[in-house]
Every structure is written in C-alpha cells, then in structure tokens.
Amino acid sequence: MIRKARLSVHTFGCKLNQYESALMTERLCEDFAVSYQSEKADVFLFNSCTVTGEAERKLRQRYRSLRKRNPDSLFVVTGCYSELSSEELQELGFDAVVKNKDKTTIETSLRLLLGNNGYHDASVADCPVSPGALEGRTRAYISVEDGCRNKCSYCRVRLARGSEIRSKPLTLVKREFENLISGGFKEVVITGLNICFYGEDNNSSLLDLLTTLEEIDGSWRIRLSSLHPAFVGSHFLEYIVGNPRFAQHLHLSLQSGSDRILSLMNRGYNRKSFLSLVDSARKLNPYIAVTTDIIAGFPSETEDDFYDTCSVVEEVAFLKTHIFRFSPRPGTEAAYMADQVPEQTKRERAKRLANLSTRSSLRYLTGSLGHEREVLVEKVSGVNSSGTDEFYVSHCTRTGAVGQFLRVVPEEICWGGVEQNGSFHLRSMVIR
Ligand code: SF4
C-alpha cells in the first residue's frame, strides 16, 4: 500500500480565504492526507493574505519556522500575497506559487509539481472536511462572489483579486446551500470579496440570491459577511432585518468616522450616512448587532479626525470592533500619501480604540440581558455548552447538544472563556 502524502494547509486572512482553503482541501483529499495547521507534513500549502504588512510578516515567520523543521518538504503558496509578490516569496524559499484563479484546480497544480513520486496511487479515502465547513459541524461558508470594483485607497486585496465581478451562478449557490443543510449545517455564512456586488455580472442581485435561498426547507439561518455601507439600500435592509431566516447582525466596515479621512480613503459614504444606516436598521430591530472594522492612523489623521471616529464608536455601541493600525501597502494610493502617521501614534490610537470598543461592546450586551435569544450550540465541554445567537453574541449554557437551537435568556455578562480571543460572552438560562 502506497502511503498518501501528508498535506498541511495554513490559511491567513479573511473568510473568503478560509472558504477557498476548505474548497482546496475538498479537491485535494483524494490524493493527500490533509490536515490544517500541522507542523509536520510532506507538502505545505499556504493560502496567503496581503491585507496588512502584519499578515505578510506572520506568513514569512510561519514559513521559516516550518521550513526549519521540514527541510525536505514541498512548500506551495497561493492567495493574495503571492499573487502580488510571487518573486519575493520564491526568494524566501517557497518551491511554487499557484495563482488565485488556479485554486479551483489546485489538485492539478500539485500533481504536476509532485510528479511521479508514488503518492498519487493511494486509494480514495473519506474527505476529512465537509465542503465549506470551517468552524466545526454547525457553521459553514459559501463564497458567492469574487472581485471588487471599489477603489479604497488603502486596499491591496482588490489589486490581487481584480475589479471584475465574478458571481457564482445562483443555481450553483442554491445547490451548495442545500448540500450543506442536508449535511447537518445550521448556519451558513454568505461571503465573498464584496457581496454587495453579487449578481452584477449575471443579471441578478444579492437580494435575488437571498430570496431564493429563503425558500429552502429546514431549521437553519443565514449570516451575511461584511456589507459595504455605501451599498446597503433600504429595501434590502427591510428584507433582512427582523426576518428570522437571517442573523440579526450586520458587519458594516466604518474604517473612520471622519468625513475628511473617509474621502481620502475613497469609501463612498460619510459619517452621517453611516449613522443613518445604523439608525434605519435599529428602527426595524432595536437589538440588531453591528460589528465593524476601523483603521487607526490613516495618513494625515489628526486628533480631531480620530475623535470623530471615537464618537461614532460611542454612538453606535458596536458589538465588536476590529482595529487595524494603518499599514502602507505597496501599490496602493494611501501608501504614498503625505503625512504618514508615526507608528507610536498609531499604536496609541489603536489602544484607545480598543478600550472604547470594550466599553461599547459591554453597553450593547447589557441591553441583551433578560431578552430571549436563539443560540446555536457549537461546542459541548463537560457540563457546559457554548454557541452563538442570532446577534453574533457568544453564550454559555448548562444544557444543549451540538447543532441544536436553544431558546435562552441571558443572565450575566462574563469575560473570556467561551471564545479563545477572550472577549465577552453571556451566561444564559435555557428556556426551551
Ligand atoms: S470595498 Fe474597498 S477594502 Fe473592500 S475589497 Fe473593495 S476596495 Fe478593498
């Protein structure tokens, strides 16, 4: 019996990359014994990210450390970082670079690279992951679109992924969705580079897609990944908010609360329109959770600009705020703008924002106490179960099986524990 080569997948960056890693895994599991993040393997596949300098630094660090322990293994890299800097990564020592567009035929690329070393005659084994499954057995992802025609001045990902919108045909998304539901998944996250553009190239729209999926039977819910604040219309909002098929959670990337900085970022909305969007959503559902991303220290950001951002965080009471220090990305407009903010100032602003975001999150959660929620149980450990509700809040309960929806009443806010990242969760009583 010829042994299967061990292949270790290392994913960096966004949900789209995670989805594509799962897809590649699905295609590779016939030829390889695939695992995620393993430190010993015959082949390492890095799915890279270029969103920040930090994401790239982490990849290089992981590569060096794994190469030391696996000097004879084959290292292959794909994803946005390698798309834009393939020479740099080959100089670092990667044996091969696979283009983003070839991720869907990754098994062909690896077969060519490995040649006839005997690994590929192994018998077909069960796939170690279900298609699209990324977070245990309850939540799965479907990527519906690639490409972004916005021109955010700091974004390097759009350079790697391109401005041409490529939407997955609606019938294909529906089939993928049905497969996941019949495979036992209870929550499906609709993701893509900018899902607001879904359908522009095939005479459809995100709303068309969601209304089609809504018809599918079963006990499940849909969560939407990031929505660009400039492209969320009132009709769309009215359809999503309050609809029990959809998580009552909007991820709206604010990036800055200063109109001057938003204009330099080329984001296409201003502070007032962002706040009015949140306000419209909260009129439809006062508890709707809003999460966001903020860049601290964009070129020329003054204390006044930063104050404007802080005041939006205070006003909205975001459930979660992902804070990034501005990172000048090669090839982007913002990297060459005047008045780059010193690193020390960026660090200090990011820290102040983190404190503010903790208070903001706490304020949102305080409003949840005593109100019924629906938790999807994701993990059982000893006598405790944990899961996420329709608002994207983590809960800990005393009963519940993985994959079960529970009606609960939150009783207490706790710090750390349920989530690895040490954010808040609610201790809740199960009522049915
Ligand atoms: S919306 Fe802006 S940040 Fe997001 S992918 Fe498009 S260009 Fe990049």
Side-chain angles (χ1 to χ4, degrees):
M1 174 77 175
I2 302 166
R3 92 167 164 89
K4 276 187 170 189
R6 295 162 303 164
L7 183 140
S8 173
V9 180
H10 293 252
T11 307
F12 299 79
C14 64
K15 299 289 185 211
L16 181 58
N17 249 15
Q18 291 178 36
Y19 171 83
E20 289 174 348
S21 285
L23 214 68
M24 289 192 286
T25 302
E26 192 198 346
R27 300 190 72 92
L28 291 166
C29 64
E30 279 193 14
D31 289 351
F32 298 91
V34 185
S35 62
Y36 285 118
Q37 309 284 110
S38 299
E39 302 199 338
K40 279 275 169 199
D42 304 300
V43 182
F44 288 89
L45 176 61
F46 279 48
N47 193 3
S48 68
C49 170
T50 191
V51 73
T52 58
E54 183 59 13
E56 294 183 352
R57 190 193 61 78
K58 279 188 182 154
L59 179 139
R60 292 192 298 268
Q61 191 183 43
R62 178 97 52 95
Y63 166 78
R64 286 192 193 100
S65 140
L66 290 174
R67 177 59 97 186
K68 219 178 264 173
R69 275 170 282 165
N70 300 268
D72 301 323
S73 300
L74 184 81
F75 282 77
V76 181
V77 62
T78 182
C80 295
Y81 180 15
S82 62
E83 192 79 13
L84 297 173
S85 309
S86 68
E87 276 177 25
E88 178 190 324
L89 290 174
Q90 277 172 315
E91 270 165 32
L92 185 69
F94 276 96
D95 300 293
V97 176
V98 174
K99 305 289 287 176
N100 261 339
K101 70 173 175 50
D102 295 329
K103 280 177 175 175
T104 49
T105 51
I106 185 78
E107 72 285 10
T108 314
S109 306
L110 289 196
R111 275 178 199 150
L112 283 172
L113 280 168
L114 281 164
N116 249 342
N117 63 6
Y119 284 141
H120 303 298
D121 297 322
S123 59
V124 176
D126 286 338
C127 188
V129 293
S130 304
L134 296 160
E135 291 185 9
R137 287 177 286 142
T138 54
R139 185 183 298 152
Y141 291 79
I142 299 183
S143 170
V144 299
E145 169 286 330
D146 202 355
C148 178
R149 61 173 169 74
N150 284 351
K151 290 189 169 62
C152 298
S153 61
Y154 54 84
C155 178
R156 187 160 135 102
V157 177
R158 71 184 168 89
L159 304 178
R161 298 247 173 201
S163 57
E164 186 201 342
I165 307 301
R166 282 100 61 204
S167 305
K168 196 178 270 181
L170 209 145
T171 46
L172 205 64
V173 179
K174 186 167 180 254
R175 205 179 322 139
E176 208 172 321
F177 191 92
E178 285 168 337
N179 285 344
L180 290 169
I181 300 304
S182 59
F185 290 94
K186 296 293 166 80
E187 182 172 299
V188 178
V189 183
I190 302 294
T191 189
L193 188 55
N194 193 332
I195 59 171
C196 293
F197 293 140
Y198 177 82
E200 279 194 3
D201 55 328
N202 64 10
N203 206 19
S204 173
S205 69
L206 185 58
L207 194 55
D208 287 345
L209 175 73
L210 298 179
T211 46
T212 304
L213 298 181
E214 196 192 350
E215 300 297 311
I216 294 168
D217 282 343
S219 164
W220 53 260
R221 69 182 174 215
I222 286 180
R223 195 177 293 282
L224 299 175
S225 68
S226 192
L227 293 170
H228 192 292
F231 298 94
V232 183
S234 54
H235 188 44
F236 183 82
L237 214 53
E238 279 159 21
Y239 173 67
I240 296 293
V241 182
N243 184 334
R245 276 301 199 191
F246 297 95
Q248 296 301 293
H249 161 222
L250 301 173
H251 185 81
L252 302 168
S253 288
L254 170 67
Q255 305 301 12
S256 171
S258 150
D259 285 347
R260 193 182 68 81
I261 297 293
L262 283 172
S263 158
L264 284 174
M265 287 177 168
N266 203 18
R267 288 290 288 169
Y269 56 87
N270 58 28
R271 170 196 176 86
K272 193 172 165 210
S273 60
F274 183 93
L275 288 172
S276 133
L277 177 62
V278 174
D279 199 43
S280 306
R282 292 226 163 118
K283 277 195 180 115
L284 295 163
N285 180 353
Y287 296 113
I288 194 153
V290 185
T291 53
T292 200
D293 308 302
I294 293 180
I295 296 175
F298 189 82
S300 81
E301 183 187 71
T302 61
E303 265 302 307
D304 283 351
D305 295 318
F306 181 67
Y307 175 80
D308 286 344
T309 302
C310 293
S311 67
V312 176
V313 176
E314 298 254 26
E315 191 170 334
V316 172
F318 292 109
L319 169 62
K320 281 180 192 161
T321 306
H322 305 279
I323 302 152
F324 300 87
R325 277 179 278 140
F326 173 74
S327 170
R329 309 305 297 123
T332 64
E333 231 180 288
Y336 310 102
M337 283 179 182
D339 299 330
Q340 296 282 328
V341 173
E343 271 312 310
Q344 177 58 30
T345 310
K346 288 186 207 168
R347 250 196 300 277
E348 187 250 332
R349 287 183 186 161
K351 199 166 161 199
R352 278 157 65 193
L353 266 176
N355 290 334
L356 199 58
S357 129
T358 304
R359 291 207 299 274
S360 172
S361 181
L362 201 52
R363 193 147 65 83
Y364 174 83
L365 292 173
T366 305
S368 313
L369 295 177
H371 297 281
E372 212 174 302
R373 298 289 184 252
E374 187 167 72
V375 172
L376 171 59
V377 179
E378 287 151 4
K379 200 168 156 194
V380 176
S381 137
V383 291
N384 290 322
S385 299
S386 58
T388 309
D389 72 13
E390 64 274 51
F391 299 92
Y392 205 43
V393 174
S394 304
H395 293 249
C396 178
T397 63
R398 284 288 179 186
T399 55
V402 171
Q404 189 181 5
F405 280 112
L406 299 174
R407 297 300 301 180
V408 306
V409 174
E411 296 181 311
E412 193 190 349
I413 302 172
C414 309
W415 175 257
V418 170
E419 287 192 350
Q420 300 264 324
N421 62 11
S423 54
F424 293 110
H425 69 271
L426 298 175
R427 184 165 291 282
S428 304
M429 182 178 66
V430 177
I431 52 171
R432 59 181 184 275

